[in-house]
Amino acid sequence: MKRLIRSLLVSLLVVQVASAEVRLPNVFGSHMVLQRRKPVPVWGWADPNEKVTVTLASQVKTVKSGKDGKWRITLEPMEAGGPYQLVARGKNNTVTFDDVLTGEVWICSGQSNMEWPLRSASTAKTEIPKAIHPQIRQLLVKKDLSLTPKDNMEGSWAVCSPETAPNFTAVGYFFAKQLQGELNVPIGLINTSWGGTHSETWTSREAMNQHDELRIVANKLPATQEEVIQRGSERTKALVQSQQDGLPTAAEEQTWAKVDLDDSAWKTMNVPGDWEWGGLPTFDGVVWFRQEVIIPEGSKLNKMQLRMGSVDDNDSTFVNGQLIGSKKGSGVREYTVPDGLLKPGRNVVAVRIVDKGNVGGMVGTPEQLNLSGESLTIPLAGKWKYRVASVFASSYKPGPNTYATQLFNAMLNPLIPYAIEGVIWYQGESNAGRANQYRTAFPLMIQDWRHHWGYDFPFLFVQLANYNAGNGDSRRGSTWAELREAQTMTLQLPNTGMAVTSDIGERTDIHPRNKEDVGKRLAAEAMRVAYQKSESNPSETSRGPQFDKMTVDGNKAVLTFRNVGRGLFVNDKYGYLKGFEVAGADQKFYYAKADLQGNSIVVHADSVAKPIAVRYGWADDNGDVNLYNQEKFPAIPFRTDTWKGITEATKFGDKGQ
């Protein structure tokens, strides 16, 4: 008995000693960069009412932890410098961080184009061997999810070298390199990003409760991670059980492309659209879609094409039981239908889609989904029959988009209130299907982050690059153009800046490899927004021309711009402007001739007697745009028309709730 009591006392003493140790969150560490010229909060945990002393350079600050063991002090602002030691002492231990610099700290966040590492950039082979930049450091935040705010995360600071640089965010690296050259001070990057994520998952529950539609989503959030897993498992199992005949055998699935298949028991879904919003929330796996197409007698069926807009991820597409095409990876699908395969009367289109994560299905716009030939176009948007063929294990697990707020809680909240200069952000691709909502959701997220930090720090973001997401344009509609417009509208918030990339994307790749120009354009905006580089001198402009106003002179529209710098510039050896369209009262857009006259653009088309509206770069893939200022910053894509407003997309639903 005495031996047992002694053992318990020793165990209790060990627990008490362990709990008495002073600790700091992992945002602090050796090789970190602390923000210059701002008060620097330092915080952590200790025993209740324990005295903690923090030392940095000549500063010594003492504080007593609260009843909950939490403590926080604020160091006085310092100029750029170092290296220093940051030391935190308690009654039982000392925590020491070495090689600490003071300089400029920027958070790098968003989805895959911000996460994209330097090793995969177009200039990686030449850049990495010379990436010897000891005053540039990165804290890479490990991916994590949480329904409740966390106070710590996993990650450590790394000094930029040829060995560590490959894992730096490529955009952040080139941003920091340019900024370090301009300011000649240390640059710290906090890389907290996750590919394929929506802005809502980076937004706090507190902010969502301030918005009528988002409040509905926030009120349905689970309370714990265990509840998340349970809900996901139950939902997916119920989904499989809800199929009329359960999951098929491999032999049975091979019959699903046949014209005479009895699909009367299949469920229906509106197509196109992300199936996670259309009836298969949190679902990853294989789904078949079928659509009956009635072709009128006497139709000419020459050179027929099946266009489906963007598909995510892989597809195998059949017409009347015959495979006409298949492709792996998300992107536009346009397949030639062999002559003679289509017949007047009843025909069947069947599409087998494999989704490995996040968005799934035919996700273009309705105008992009059709059968068309030389003299016939048959729209295919509407209700399609569908049936699940296979469920992947990932369907049972929550992802970053399954519930809102998760990444804010797990990958941003632990960083607050670490002193920063600002944020660079590259995201929006995953919100393009709900571009109208992004007008509200994106500014809400920015204001939310600023609220939690307690000051209106600069927030700089990248406008979506040119990419053929769904072959969208003025005629068929373009969700990517609308998302870019929502991003442009966000510039109404103070201390914001935008890097336009409509000229440096890749038509067939959502991840353009040219990250150097992106980083440099963000750095130029940082010099303007964060460091007040004067634009009174036109040669110092940091952004491209932005549409200001339009006047009509007969059959011509005259456009004027802001941010012209030393003057407008056409990037074409013959001086031809591209990317302009014009419409009259019939609201039909025609490719327009555009002429540069001083700092104005004159637009006209033979088919439009009186211009009502002009659009520039209004397409998913707007890579033909070539209007710049003399400083070589591209013009912001725009539209002058407002009669249709923004295309109404899927409402904030209770996806995953």
Side-chain angles (χ1 to χ4, degrees):
M1 186 60 150
K2 290 182 179 179
R3 186 178 295 111
L4 176 60
I5 293 173
R6 217 170 20 245
S7 177
L8 290 173
L9 288 173
V10 171
S11 298
L12 179 60
L13 181 61
V14 170
V15 171
Q16 287 177 333
V17 170
S19 67
E21 288 189 349
V22 170
R23 295 185 297 116
L24 282 76
N26 293 328
V27 68
F28 296 96
S30 294
H31 315 300
M32 66 182 162
V33 179
L34 298 175
Q35 179 61 42
R36 65 168 179 164
R37 297 178 179 177
K38 280 186 172 66
V40 175
V42 180
W43 70 96
W45 305 271
D47 261 359
N49 301 313
E50 181 176 356
K51 179 182 176 182
V52 178
T53 301
V54 175
T55 304
L56 177 68
S58 61
Q59 295 192 55
V60 180
K61 298 272 186 173
T62 301
V63 67
K64 183 178 288 188
S65 61
K67 294 180 180 179
D68 58 359
K70 295 180 180 179
W71 57 268
R72 173 175 166 178
I73 60 98
T74 301
L75 297 172
E76 301 299 324
M78 297 174 60
E79 289 297 321
Y84 304 110
Q85 274 192 338
L86 178 70
V87 180
R89 291 185 178 87
K91 61 185 179 184
N92 292 311
N93 73 305
T94 299
V95 178
T96 302
F97 299 124
D98 297 314
D99 187 30
V100 176
L101 304 181
T102 52
E104 295 297 299
V105 180
W106 286 83
I107 287 181
C108 311
S109 189
Q111 56 183 105
S112 53
N113 275 307
M114 181 60 78
E115 184 181 0
W116 201 257
L118 181 60
R119 64 175 176 271
S120 299
S122 60
T123 55
K125 289 184 178 180
T126 57
E127 190 65 41
I128 290 174
K130 59 183 182 182
I132 305 170
H133 305 292
Q135 290 202 322
I136 296 177
R137 283 96 186 275
Q138 175 184 259
L139 168 62
L140 178 59
V141 178
K142 185 178 179 180
K143 293 178 180 177
D144 192 15
L145 303 174
S146 179
L147 258 294
T148 55
K150 287 191 170 185
D151 56 16
N152 206 356
M153 52 78 197
E154 292 187 43
S156 59
W157 286 88
V159 179
C160 184
S161 69
E163 292 71 37
T164 62
N167 293 323
F168 275 48
T169 157
V171 169
Y173 168 85
F174 288 114
F175 170 81
K177 182 181 175 184
Q178 183 72 19
L179 213 57
Q180 209 273 329
E182 295 260 7
L183 301 173
N184 195 28
V185 299
I187 306 294
L189 305 174
I190 301 179
N191 179 7
T192 178
S193 50
W194 191 326
T197 51
H198 302 164
S199 67
E200 296 88 339
T201 195
W202 293 99
T203 307
S204 74
R205 186 185 300 228
E206 176 185 356
M208 294 177 71
N209 279 325
Q210 299 171 11
H211 186 273
D212 290 342
E213 288 180 295
L214 287 174
R215 187 182 301 115
I216 298 172
V217 178
N219 289 339
K220 294 182 179 180
L221 292 175
T224 64
Q225 290 299 112
E226 290 74 17
E227 186 181 349
V228 168
I229 296 172
Q230 180 181 356
R231 283 196 195 184
S233 177
E234 291 175 351
R235 182 185 299 109
T236 308
K237 290 178 181 177
L239 172 66
V240 174
Q241 292 170 359
S242 71
Q243 303 301 309
Q244 184 70 19
D245 300 311
L247 298 178
T249 63
E252 182 185 359
E253 186 186 351
Q254 290 178 3
T255 69
W256 286 6
K258 292 184 177 180
V259 177
D260 57 358
L261 177 77
D262 181 7
D263 59 12
S264 59
W266 288 29
K267 294 179 177 293
T268 61
M269 180 189 301
N270 283 323
V271 176
D274 178 359
W275 71 36
E276 297 216 12
W277 294 84
L280 299 172
T282 73
F283 178 80
D284 302 321
V286 180
V287 180
W288 280 76
F289 290 87
R290 286 172 57 92
Q291 176 70 289
E292 184 179 274
V293 182
I294 305 299
I295 297 179
E297 292 292 336
S299 298
K300 295 181 179 180
L301 300 174
N302 300 326
K303 298 182 179 179
M304 296 295 291
Q305 296 273 328
L306 175 60
R307 297 182 172 91
M308 296 190 293
S310 186
V311 172
D312 199 312
D313 291 312
N314 310 332
D315 78 292
S316 298
T317 299
F318 303 80
V319 171
N320 290 337
Q322 180 175 324
L323 179 68
I324 65 167
S326 63
K327 185 177 180 181
K328 292 184 177 181
S330 60
V332 174
R333 305 302 199 263
E334 293 185 2
Y335 296 131
T336 298
V337 182
D339 289 344
L341 185 57
L342 291 168
K343 307 290 185 183
R346 181 176 181 270
N347 299 264
V348 173
V349 176
V351 185
R352 182 184 189 268
I353 297 179
V354 181
D355 175 50
K356 299 179 180 179
N358 296 320
V359 175
M362 290 176 266
V363 294
T365 64
E367 296 83 359
Q368 296 163 349
L369 183 57
N370 60 71
L371 268 171
S372 62
E374 290 182 333
S375 58
L376 177 70
T377 298
I378 302 175
L380 297 181
K383 289 190 178 298
W384 285 53
K385 293 187 175 181
Y386 77 93
R387 184 173 169 186
V388 173
S390 179
V391 182
F392 294 165
S394 57
S395 294
Y396 295 94
K397 302 175 183 178
N401 295 326
T402 305
Y403 298 100
T405 78
Q406 292 186 104
L407 299 190
F408 175 90
N409 292 328
M411 296 178 65
L412 194 76
N413 195 71
L415 309 176
I416 303 170
Y418 196 86
I420 62 172
E421 178 58 40
V423 172
I424 57 174
W425 173 263
Y426 197 158
Q427 187 271 344
E429 298 91 339
S430 292
N431 279 82
R434 295 175 287 116
N436 188 38
Q437 294 160 351
Y438 204 70
R439 287 173 147 195
T440 300
F442 185 35
L444 180 71
M445 190 204 77
I446 295 173
Q447 292 169 310
D448 181 33
W449 289 22
R450 288 173 169 176
H451 168 73
H452 279 85
W453 255 277
Y455 54 99
D456 288 347
F457 51 73
F459 196 104
L460 315 176
F461 49 92
V462 182
Q463 191 177 50
L464 293 190
N466 52 301
Y467 167 67
N468 195 8
N471 208 29
D473 57 22
S474 290
R475 294 151 190 81
R476 292 178 287 264
S478 171
T479 57
W480 274 54
E482 292 172 7
L483 197 285
R484 292 190 192 102
E485 183 176 58
Q487 291 174 314
T488 303
M489 295 173 69
T490 302
L491 293 172
Q492 297 175 54
L493 287 180
N495 290 336
T496 54
M498 183 172 73
V500 178
T501 60
S502 54
D503 60 331
I504 54 175
E506 297 179 24
R507 185 179 190 274
T508 59
D509 194 340
I510 201 170
H511 302 119
R513 269 41 174 193
N514 179 358
K515 303 302 186 191
E516 183 169 3
D517 285 329
V518 180
K520 287 181 175 179
R521 290 176 185 180
L522 284 169
E525 281 288 74
M527 293 304 297
R528 176 181 67 86
V529 179
Y531 305 110
Q532 288 76 52
K533 181 178 179 181
S534 173
E535 283 198 293
S536 58
N537 181 352
S539 65
E540 295 183 342
T541 190
S542 63
R543 47 190 170 166
Q546 183 173 2
F547 168 73
D548 187 23
K549 63 181 179 180
M550 181 182 83
T551 57
V552 177
D553 182 10
N555 67 339
K556 297 179 180 179
V558 181
L559 310 175
T560 56
F561 296 82
R562 291 173 279 161
N563 308 326
V564 297
R566 288 179 290 136
L568 297 180
F569 169 75
V570 182
N571 189 20
D572 183 273
K573 65 180 180 179
Y574 300 111
Y576 294 132
L577 274 167
K578 302 174 183 177
F580 283 91
E581 301 170 279
V582 63
D586 61 0
Q587 303 180 13
K588 294 182 179 180
F589 281 88
Y590 297 88
Y591 295 116
K593 297 177 182 178
D595 300 308
L596 177 61
Q597 296 185 6
N599 281 332
S600 298
I601 304 293
V602 179
V603 180
H604 62 98
D606 294 339
S607 301
V608 180
K610 184 177 181 180
I612 299 296
V614 172
R615 292 182 176 182
Y616 172 72
W618 195 264
D620 294 358
D621 175 24
N622 55 11
D624 286 337
V625 293
N626 64 347
L627 177 62
Y628 295 74
N629 52 27
Q630 294 286 347
E631 290 71 32
K632 303 299 176 64
F633 289 104
I636 300 174
F638 66 90
R639 62 174 172 180
T640 66
D641 53 303
T642 57
W643 60 62
K644 294 176 69 176
I646 304 293
T647 301
E648 191 66 24
T650 306
K651 293 292 185 183
F652 278 120
D654 60 348
K655 170 188 171 185
Q657 313 307 323

